[in-house]
Amino acid sequence: MRRKRRDFFVKDIIWLLIVSILVSAVFAAGFAMTTDKYFAKAITGVMGNFGQYDLLFQVNEEFKDALAEHLELVIKEHFPEATLKPGISLVGKASFFLTLPPKYKNKATFNKLRQYFDNLPGNSGLSIMTEPRINVNNIPGGVFNFIADQVERLAGVAFIYRDNGNLGVVLKDIGQGEALLEEIKAILAQYQVLEVRLADSYPAEELGRLGQELADKLLQVKGIDYARDITLAGHNNEYQYMVNTLGEVKKFLLAYATQVKIIPQGEVVIEPGELLAANGKNEKPIAQGTVLQGDGVVIKVIEATPLEIRGIIIRGDISYLQDDLVYKLLPGDKVGAALGKMEVVDRKGQVVTAVNQGISLIERLDLALADFDQTNGGVALTISGFQNAFQNLVEIRKA
């Protein structure tokens, strides 16, 4: 009998434990659901429902009224049907939420959002909240359009936009988010960025040629079927235009700068960028081991081969030259060993000489035609034409 009572007691204890556990679990689940709903409702009250707002503006609280006024003006001009809602102020920061009508939710509008809301009072910040959305961050500028075009063609993408170096992908349906994310990862996994570092002295105008050569070499590697130089490429080509323009300016200046050609005597090791020295208006002729004085002529090497060295005069003038010997210029303006004899090519002087000769010719023609006009009373119009040409050449010489 005692054994039976003991068995019933153990069973009662076990059932009591099971019931207690079940009741505790139900209570905990209910408490968690209530808490989740409470916090979700609190967050929704602050941040809005999923996809309710498109833009968030934050500013120091003292600029709150100025920001609201500025936003209302922009909305009235560009987004007449948009709604602006003030948010809560937290830690001295005020916030505003903007909801855009569906007709403004497109690629063209989102690419210009920061232009529309530029120069906000108090250095206000702008954040894009449109959902459902996938962000692809830190895309190199040179391949941004290349990657964006592939992502935009994916099924389920409503539109894409550029936010500095980041790509925003707005989806048609949140249910397609996971699948689209995997497809975007697959696109990015196809490519890698190879970075090549060059010395600071490397000519900028040579970057384009070097990049293309490297891309061609990479295409010869087994397994690589696409290679592209992205050094200066991008959504905006200002850098490429600037480099090309500066390269052309450099060519123009070098073409009309006073150049020096030197034939080395013996084996000479000279690199582009090194400096050479020549005799100028010095009290004593320069020689190896002396210090170059202020009136000495300094030449910068722009091209060097075993048979010929070319440079430009960067200090002094060709009228200073007393002989054709050229020396290597060492640190501290110390004159090094003699390299050889030079030949000066002054294209600017050649142009000036040609213009002067043209003026002299026009003057003689003008005198001749004046005599002809006096004897024959005839060609004032022709003389006027020559006088105009004469005046143009005078202006060229002044320039």
Side-chain angles (χ1 to χ4, degrees):
M1 180 68 72
R2 289 181 180 177
R3 183 177 299 174
K4 289 184 178 180
R5 289 180 179 177
R6 188 182 306 155
D7 291 341
F8 282 122
F9 179 74
V10 172
K11 290 180 180 179
D12 290 341
I13 294 296
I14 292 174
W15 278 109
L16 180 62
L17 290 174
I18 292 173
V19 171
S20 299
I21 292 172
L22 290 174
V23 171
S24 298
V26 171
F27 175 78
F31 181 77
M33 291 177 61
T34 303
T35 305
D36 287 344
K37 288 184 177 180
Y38 173 78
F39 283 109
K41 186 176 181 180
I43 293 174
T44 300
V46 175
M47 303 296 295
N49 293 317
F50 179 81
Q52 180 178 353
Y53 302 121
D54 296 297
L55 302 177
L56 167 65
F57 302 91
Q58 290 183 309
V59 68
N60 292 333
E61 197 165 3
E62 58 267 26
F63 296 102
K64 179 179 179 180
D65 294 337
L67 176 62
E69 183 179 352
H70 184 91
L71 292 178
E72 291 289 355
L73 292 175
V74 175
I75 292 170
K76 183 177 180 181
E77 180 179 357
H78 298 288
F79 312 107
E81 300 174 12
T83 57
L84 183 67
K85 177 184 176 182
I88 64 172
S89 297
L90 186 65
V91 197
K93 292 283 187 180
S95 58
F96 291 88
F97 298 95
L98 180 65
T99 302
L100 295 173
K103 67 179 181 180
Y104 295 119
K105 294 183 180 181
N106 52 60
K107 180 178 180 180
T109 299
F110 273 64
N111 279 333
K112 293 182 179 180
L113 282 177
R114 298 195 182 275
Q115 297 179 25
Y116 293 139
F117 297 99
D118 192 18
N119 298 322
L120 295 175
N123 295 322
S124 308
L126 163 63
S127 301
I128 297 176
M129 301 178 60
T130 300
E131 297 291 349
R133 183 181 83 250
I134 296 174
N135 286 331
V136 185
N137 300 328
N138 302 321
I139 300 177
V143 293
F144 190 94
N145 288 341
F146 178 73
I147 297 296
D149 290 342
Q150 296 184 60
V151 173
E152 191 174 20
R153 289 195 293 266
L154 296 177
V157 174
F159 65 90
I160 62 171
Y161 63 91
R162 181 170 188 165
D163 188 13
N164 295 323
N166 305 324
L167 175 66
V169 184
V170 180
L171 314 183
K172 295 178 181 177
D173 183 5
I174 191 174
Q176 299 175 319
E178 291 295 330
L180 276 173
L181 182 59
E182 294 303 319
E183 291 184 62
I184 292 173
K185 287 182 178 179
I187 291 174
L188 298 176
Q190 298 179 61
Y191 310 102
Q192 295 181 0
V193 177
L194 173 64
E195 183 175 322
V196 179
R197 295 185 178 272
L198 303 172
D200 294 339
S201 59
Y202 194 85
E205 63 269 19
E206 294 293 324
L207 290 178
R209 180 188 58 80
L210 178 64
Q212 187 58 50
E213 289 182 0
L214 181 57
D216 294 340
K217 293 291 185 182
L218 289 173
L219 288 174
Q220 299 175 12
V221 178
K222 185 178 180 181
I224 297 179
D225 55 8
Y226 181 85
R228 173 183 171 186
D229 176 25
I230 62 173
T231 306
L232 299 173
H235 180 72
N236 296 319
N237 293 319
E238 284 84 357
Y239 293 116
Q240 183 67 62
Y241 296 149
M242 180 184 69
V243 170
N244 292 342
T245 301
L246 291 178
E248 293 301 320
V249 171
K250 179 180 178 181
K251 291 178 182 179
F252 174 80
L253 294 177
L254 288 177
Y256 287 95
T258 301
Q259 297 191 16
V260 174
K261 182 174 71 173
I262 305 159
I263 305 300
Q265 296 178 351
E267 293 187 3
V268 175
V269 179
I270 291 290
E271 298 293 336
E274 293 193 57
L275 301 180
L276 310 178
N279 269 321
K281 289 184 178 180
N282 300 305
E283 295 181 0
K284 296 180 180 180
I286 64 173
Q288 184 176 354
T290 62
V291 176
L292 186 67
Q293 302 300 319
D295 290 334
V297 175
V298 178
I299 302 166
K300 183 177 182 179
V301 177
I302 59 175
E303 185 180 351
T305 67
L307 301 178
E308 183 179 273
I309 300 172
R310 289 187 176 272
I312 57 174
I313 295 177
I314 62 172
R315 195 174 85 190
D317 192 88
I318 57 172
S319 61
Y320 291 3
L321 296 175
Q322 299 179 4
D323 55 52
D324 56 358
L325 284 177
V326 178
Y327 301 81
K328 190 171 183 178
L329 188 60
L330 305 176
D333 280 353
K334 189 174 182 180
V335 179
L339 300 181
K341 295 185 177 182
M342 63 179 172
E343 175 186 338
V344 178
V345 180
D346 184 15
R347 296 186 180 179
K348 181 181 68 175
Q350 293 173 354
V351 172
V352 172
T353 300
V355 171
N356 287 335
Q357 291 176 349
I359 291 175
S360 177
L361 176 61
I362 292 294
E363 288 175 343
R364 294 180 183 180
L365 287 173
D366 189 37
L367 292 174
L369 288 171
D371 294 339
F372 180 74
D373 186 48
Q374 291 177 1
T375 56
N376 295 277
V379 288
L381 184 60
T382 304
I383 293 175
S384 176
F386 276 104
Q387 287 176 340
N388 290 335
F390 171 76
Q391 186 61 35
N392 290 336
L393 286 173
V394 170
E395 294 299 327
I396 292 172
R397 181 172 63 177
K398 289 180 180 179

